[in-house]
Amino acid sequence: MSTVAVFGLLAAIGMRLQTSGQFDADKWAIFLHWGTAKFLFDGLVSTITAAACAALAAFALAIPLALGRLSMRPWISRLAGAYIEFFRAIPLLLLILFMVIELPSLGFDWPALGFLVFAMALHHSALTAEVVRAGILSLPRGQREAALALGMRPAQAMHHVVLPQALRSMLPALISSLLAIVQDTSLGYVIPYDELLHRSQDVSSYAPQSLLQAAFIVTMMYGVVSAVLLYLKRWVVRRQRRDGATRGAKAAITGAAGAAEDVAKPATRFGKL
């Protein structure tokens, strides 16, 4: 029923747009020029560049923050927790504006990309640190205890046993974090950073009659990037389920073979008697 309602709403919106002349050829003509397409594509490249730099910085900060939050030393845990809570609470848009206004007065004469990446790295490292911490806590305690029983120090057990398994299990959540970073690059228009949303505003300023059309095309471009990341996330989830099922089947076969050997051994002993 909800699907029918959604299609009905979309049909009503389409009819309204048709009535107001939004599908007229003259409002879409500017997007048929190669220069406009290249202009928007360059904006998409800028968006992906900012997202990639911010993601690398945020993920690099998130792991030590998560480990610090789990530290047995209270002052390290509290310091990491204060960082996470502080930058989670500040809206990213205000953080970007603060960076642009305050950092130049301190001598940081960065390009717009630097301010955007720095602000996004601070904000998303706090968010991703909680994802990493949850992934570590979700593992069975036996993994760490087995590593300690083998003679590893706690730090070695965390880095060589616990953390690799946690990162593997929370890979879908990290892809979701990357998707959020891509979408948040649109806030760079306030700097202004020449990303996709800012390029669409330039197009609509040059052709005011195509304002809605520019917004639609940019939305579709963002949608393509989001669809690729969502497909990657679903592929990773399916791969992890398949690997888990394979490991479970191997364990079941090994367990059944061991049980059969245990049953056969007494029979052998009795036969010798």
Side-chain angles (χ1 to χ4, degrees):
M1 194 65 181
S2 59
T3 304
V4 175
V6 170
F7 278 109
L9 178 62
L10 292 176
I13 294 174
M15 293 177 62
R16 178 62 179 172
L17 293 176
Q18 176 65 31
T19 303
S20 60
Q22 295 298 327
F23 294 117
D24 293 348
D26 62 317
K27 295 185 177 182
W28 296 89
I30 187 174
F31 301 103
L32 299 179
H33 295 286
W34 166 248
T36 305
K38 185 179 183 302
F39 185 74
L40 292 177
F41 181 77
D42 290 342
L44 179 61
V45 172
S46 299
T47 292
I48 294 175
T49 300
C53 295
L56 290 175
F59 292 167
L61 288 172
I63 294 177
L65 283 172
L67 296 179
R69 189 74 181 270
L70 296 171
S71 175
M72 301 301 294
R73 293 183 175 88
W75 68 272
I76 296 179
S77 179
R78 291 172 184 171
L79 186 62
Y83 176 99
I84 291 172
E85 295 302 326
F86 179 77
F87 285 108
R88 284 177 63 190
I90 298 179
L92 180 56
L93 180 60
L94 295 181
L95 188 58
I96 294 172
L97 291 175
F98 178 82
M99 296 297 171
V100 174
I101 294 172
E102 294 298 329
L103 289 185
S105 63
L106 299 177
F108 295 95
D109 189 16
W110 294 343
L113 176 62
F115 292 115
L116 179 61
V117 168
F118 186 47
M120 291 181 63
L122 293 177
H123 181 75
H124 283 281
S125 64
L127 298 178
T128 309
E130 290 296 277
V131 175
V132 175
R133 185 171 72 95
I136 293 173
L137 293 177
S138 67
L139 289 179
R141 294 183 59 182
Q143 300 287 339
R144 181 175 181 274
E145 293 173 355
L148 296 176
L150 292 175
M152 290 187 179
R153 294 191 297 271
Q156 291 177 324
M158 175 62 70
H159 288 90
H160 296 290
V161 177
V162 177
L163 190 58
Q165 295 185 66
L167 290 174
R168 191 179 303 111
S169 65
M170 64 190 171
L171 187 56
L174 294 178
I175 295 175
S176 297
S177 299
L178 177 59
L179 177 59
I181 291 174
V182 172
Q183 294 172 348
D184 283 346
T185 56
S186 60
L187 297 177
Y189 79 94
V190 300
I191 296 180
Y193 173 62
D194 211 16
E195 44 79 45
L196 185 56
L197 181 59
H198 189 264
R199 289 285 178 107
S200 72
Q201 292 177 336
D202 291 340
V203 172
S204 58
S205 297
Y206 177 77
Q209 75 280 5
S210 302
L211 174 62
L212 184 61
Q213 289 71 19
F216 175 79
I217 289 177
V218 167
T219 301
M220 291 297 102
M221 295 175 74
Y222 274 113
V224 169
V225 177
S226 300
V228 170
L229 292 176
L230 289 174
Y231 175 80
L232 178 61
K233 178 182 176 180
R234 288 194 293 268
W235 180 84
V236 169
V237 171
R238 289 196 301 267
R239 181 66 179 269
Q240 290 179 342
R241 289 176 180 173
R242 185 166 59 250
D243 292 344
T246 302
R247 287 193 297 268
K250 290 181 178 179
I253 293 172
T254 304
E261 291 178 0
D262 292 338
V263 172
K265 286 178 180 178
T268 304
R269 288 197 299 268
F270 291 140
K272 290 181 179 180
L273 292 174

